[in-house]
Amino acid sequence: MMWEASCRNWKPKRVSPEFRAIGLILLAALVPLLGCSREAEPPREPEAALEALDADPAEDITGPLRRGIPLPSVILTGLDGAESDIRDLVRDRSLIFFISTSCEVCKAFVADWRGYAPHLPPDLHLVAVVDESLEFGRAWAEENDFPFPLYLDTRSVFSQEWGMDAFPTVAGVTPEKWIAFARRGIAPDYFTPARAETLLARGSRLLEP
């Protein structure tokens, strides 16, 4: 091709020392101007922002799942078909994940916690709840290789009676079955095991007489 031929035959011209010196002077003068063309962004403090979010009472759920009250009694169905009170599923410190089977964010959340689960302290217990029938819940748990106990709200108490409409929602419960925190619509990258420990500790302190 003509362009290829012209590229092969092209030879760079030598630049005189005087011209090179002038170029360096102009470049040195331009660098400070380019650096001041916009204001420098202040350093970000993501951890400080998350800590502020942890401590913000406005982030807590209101209603039957609110922080500072005993965990209400609700009958759930296990994948084996047996019914249990949600209060009986709480042992030690517990995290209850309310998730939706049609929620892509929930799938990412579950995938993250599948990786976290083997490394959690033995006194931190995980339970998940979905608003589905027994048949669908079994199939969904198997399809998603569910990593911790899954229970079904077959009576739709949480969605219809409690108005839960954002997922995943997480409640942290103390060994005494009091709600230490409850957050709705949690982002997976925000809610890590360290964040869970922070919220549980803060909520437990607020429950102290």
Side-chain angles (χ1 to χ4, degrees), residues 40-75:
E41 294 183 1
R44 296 182 179 181
E45 298 179 351
E47 189 59 28
L50 291 178
E51 289 176 359
L53 191 64
D54 293 342
D56 185 357
E59 294 296 324
D60 288 318
I61 290 177
T62 58
L65 200 63
R66 66 186 180 276
R67 177 181 58 79
I69 66 170
L71 180 66
S73 175
V74 177
I75 301 300

Side-chain angles (χ1 to χ4, degrees), residues 152-175:
L152 310 167
D153 179 20
T154 58
R155 299 171 178 82
S156 300
V157 172
F158 298 111
S159 61
Q160 295 185 12
E161 296 183 20
W162 292 17
M164 193 178 293
D165 59 357
F167 303 94
T169 286
V170 181
V173 184
T174 70

Side-chain angles (χ1 to χ4, degrees), residues 91-162:
R91 59 176 187 269
D92 298 322
R93 301 176 304 148
S94 296
L95 298 176
I96 305 175
F97 300 151
F98 299 89
I99 56 181
S100 168
T101 57
S102 60
C103 167
E104 292 300 321
V105 175
C106 292
K107 290 181 180 179
F109 183 87
V110 169
D112 286 348
W113 279 83
R114 182 184 294 111
Y116 299 148
H119 310 290
L120 296 176
D123 68 332
L124 186 60
H125 183 56
L126 306 181
V127 176
V129 179
V130 296
D131 181 358
E132 295 291 355
S133 67
L134 177 57
E135 182 179 1
F136 186 92
R138 283 172 173 168
W140 187 81
E142 183 176 354
E143 177 185 347
N144 289 274
D145 187 24
F146 214 76
F148 30 84
L150 178 68
Y151 292 85
L152 310 167
D153 179 20
T154 58
R155 299 171 178 82
S156 300
V157 172
F158 298 111
S159 61
Q160 295 185 12
E161 296 183 20
W162 292 17

